[in-house]
Amino acid sequence: MIEFHLDGRSGVSPYMQLVQQVRRAVRLGMLTEGDRLPTVKEVVARLAINPNTVLKAYRELEHEGLAAAKPGVGTFITHRITDSSLAAHDALRGELRTWLDRATAAGLDAESVEALFVTTFREHTETRTEEPA
């Protein structure tokens, strides 16, 4: 089962952070069709947020067709969004962990590592979309 977390510094609303975490977990194969999401009560207790925030996130996931609520039972994943590259994830995750170990050994703190990764990822993505086909 997914364990949600919130980052108050992200600038992303709490409900959208929950939606993004579910999307990511489904995309990475960590959640699959039939898996139950935590109940609203469980999320509220863990994160100390308003129940309406969780309900809004779950409604958004339902609207996207990614989840469905079964009254009295829970909210369940109903769709897959994994791509064909799922088989490569384990090897890439290992390489990324090695890179993270090197970054930490070089003295970078978590915020610096994240900033370096995000900016490099954005530059890489922008460069790839600007290249002629």
Side-chain angles (χ1 to χ4, degrees):
M1 184 181 301
I2 189 169
E3 277 198 36
F4 293 116
H5 59 277
L6 295 176
D7 181 358
R9 299 173 300 148
S10 74
V12 177
S13 66
Y15 98 90
M16 188 50 71
Q17 288 184 50
L18 299 179
V19 170
Q20 290 172 345
Q21 289 171 46
V22 171
R23 283 185 198 142
R24 190 175 304 121
V26 171
R27 178 165 276 116
L28 294 174
M30 296 161 65
L31 285 175
T32 60
E33 281 182 69
D35 286 347
R36 184 178 70 82
L37 294 175
T39 65
V40 171
K41 188 175 183 178
E42 290 168 341
V43 178
V44 167
R46 175 148 166 56
L47 300 178
I49 61 174
N50 189 307
N52 291 328
T53 301
V54 183
L55 288 169
K56 184 175 181 180
Y58 284 11
R59 279 193 305 269
E60 175 70 21
L61 293 166
E62 288 181 59
H63 178 74
E64 293 177 6
L66 195 56
K70 295 182 182 177
V73 181
T75 302
F76 296 84
I77 299 299
T78 59
H79 185 70
R80 292 179 182 258
I81 55 175
T82 56
D83 56 32
S84 59
S85 68
L86 188 59
H89 287 195
D90 286 339
L92 292 170
R93 186 175 287 119
E95 291 176 32
L96 184 55
R97 284 188 177 129
T98 300
W99 181 84
L100 291 168
D101 288 342
R102 289 180 33 223
T104 302
L108 278 71
D109 63 7
E111 283 187 42
S112 298
V113 169
E114 182 179 10
L116 178 60
F117 179 83
V118 169
T119 57
T120 305
F121 175 77
R122 286 185 183 144
E123 289 169 359
H124 177 72
T125 302
E126 289 170 7
T127 302
R128 292 188 60 170
T129 57
E130 293 172 2
E131 293 176 1

